[in-house]
Amino acid sequence: MAIISLHDVTKDYPLGKTVVHALKGVSCEIQRGEFITIAGPSGSGKSTILNMIGCIDTPSSGNVKINGTDTSALSDKSLTQLRHQVLGFIFQSFNLIPVLNVYENIEFPLLIGKNGMHPSEKKTWINTLIREVGLDSWKTHRPSELSGGQRQRVAIARALATRPEIVLADEPTANLDSETGETIINLMKKMNHEFKTTFIFSTHDNMIVEIADHVIRLKDGIITENSRKKKTGVAV
């Protein structure tokens, strides 16, 4: 069973006296553990799909299922629980809390819901994440003391803190230079392999498209390509 499925999803937004058709009958499936890119130009609908999967927005018609559950049938409380336990988010603007240091920023998602971790287990897990993203020497530093690449590393670790099944990344390299962006993408690919987390990117960055296992391309709210790659890199 697919971890995520979208069936005939549409999304319409009012814009003045007109209606913008952001998604036009989108259907696709995402398998557990995939490293997937949703690509397309600005306005193609890729961020809208990410918002649907992240339960931040709802379809005008059609349905989105996560682990077989139709998200539109869930209560607000259940949606909040799903976002906290199943989903992790990485934003292009990092969205770190300025007054908290690296350790505290990563810890924060574990303080706002039930996670079942013993304090000693939580501490070990956070330190493991800090080590994995290469910030051992920066754990007591605040975001203002970090480079853009370092802040994005914190954001990656924070997204993984609750051990989510799915991580959603909206243009994660947009505010980074190309060399740092490549380092960040390779780091996320490494985390994908190590933790078997499903990573889903919204991007127009060809570097991310090339490294993805599964590519969905959008244009004007319609899927124009939906291809998976074999381990040899050949699309199937």
Side-chain angles (χ1 to χ4, degrees):
M1 183 178 68
I3 191 170
I4 297 164
S5 64
L6 282 72
H7 177 70
D8 204 19
V9 171
T10 68
K11 184 62 183 180
D12 301 328
Y13 294 104
L15 184 64
K17 295 182 179 181
T18 64
V19 176
V20 176
H21 304 290
L23 295 177
K24 304 171 184 176
V26 167
S27 296
C28 62
E29 290 190 344
I30 296 170
Q31 302 301 319
R32 192 175 304 277
E34 283 193 311
F35 196 82
I36 178 172
T37 295
I38 300 172
S42 297
S44 61
K46 58 187 187 297
S47 292
T48 304
I49 285 186
L50 218 63
N51 288 340
M52 298 291 161
I53 296 171
C55 303
I56 295 169
D57 206 346
T58 55
S60 299
S61 64
N63 62 64
V64 178
K65 293 183 179 180
I66 297 178
N67 285 328
T69 298
D70 186 345
T71 57
S72 64
L74 297 176
S75 64
D76 288 344
K77 182 178 179 181
S78 295
L79 283 172
T80 299
Q81 187 176 25
L82 184 146
R83 280 192 293 265
H84 181 71
Q85 295 181 349
V86 179
L87 302 168
F89 297 87
I90 300 171
F91 305 94
Q92 59 176 293
S93 56
F94 316 128
N95 283 12
L96 302 180
I97 301 172
V99 297
L100 301 183
N101 63 31
V102 167
Y103 183 98
E104 292 164 341
N105 263 285
I106 297 169
E107 180 188 33
F108 186 74
L110 297 172
L111 301 177
I112 57 175
K114 295 180 180 179
N115 58 73
M117 283 191 203
H118 187 274
S120 62
E121 180 191 4
K122 181 178 72 172
K123 183 177 180 180
T124 299
W125 175 234
I126 294 169
N127 283 323
T128 296
L129 289 172
I130 290 172
R131 183 173 62 253
E132 288 289 339
V133 299
L135 291 174
D136 258 337
S137 300
W138 299 85
K139 68 172 66 176
T140 60
H141 289 67
R142 293 184 178 180
S144 61
E145 301 172 298
L146 305 176
S147 68
Q150 287 172 322
R151 278 178 274 173
Q152 194 60 293
R153 287 169 182 263
V154 178
I156 294 167
R158 182 185 59 187
L160 291 165
T162 59
R163 296 174 175 159
E165 297 176 60
I166 302 159
V167 169
L168 305 174
D170 189 11
E171 299 282 6
T173 59
N175 292 325
L176 305 174
D177 62 79
S178 58
E179 183 178 351
T180 303
E182 184 174 3
T183 300
I184 291 298
I185 293 304
N186 287 333
L187 174 61
M188 284 192 271
K189 188 72 171 177
K190 174 176 176 281
M191 307 292 261
N192 165 250
H193 282 304
E194 287 187 5
F195 300 119
K196 310 303 179 189
T197 306
T198 304
F199 276 80
I200 306 171
F201 296 85
S202 160
T203 189
H204 60 266
D205 188 336
N206 285 329
M207 175 180 62
I208 301 179
V209 175
E210 290 170 5
I211 201 173
D213 305 321
H214 183 179
V215 177
I216 294 174
R217 290 186 188 273
L218 288 171
K219 184 177 181 181
D220 298 329
I222 297 170
I223 291 178
T224 60
E225 177 188 346
N226 186 357
S227 62
R228 288 183 172 88
K229 300 173 186 177
K230 294 180 180 178
K231 290 185 179 179
T232 56
V234 180
V236 292

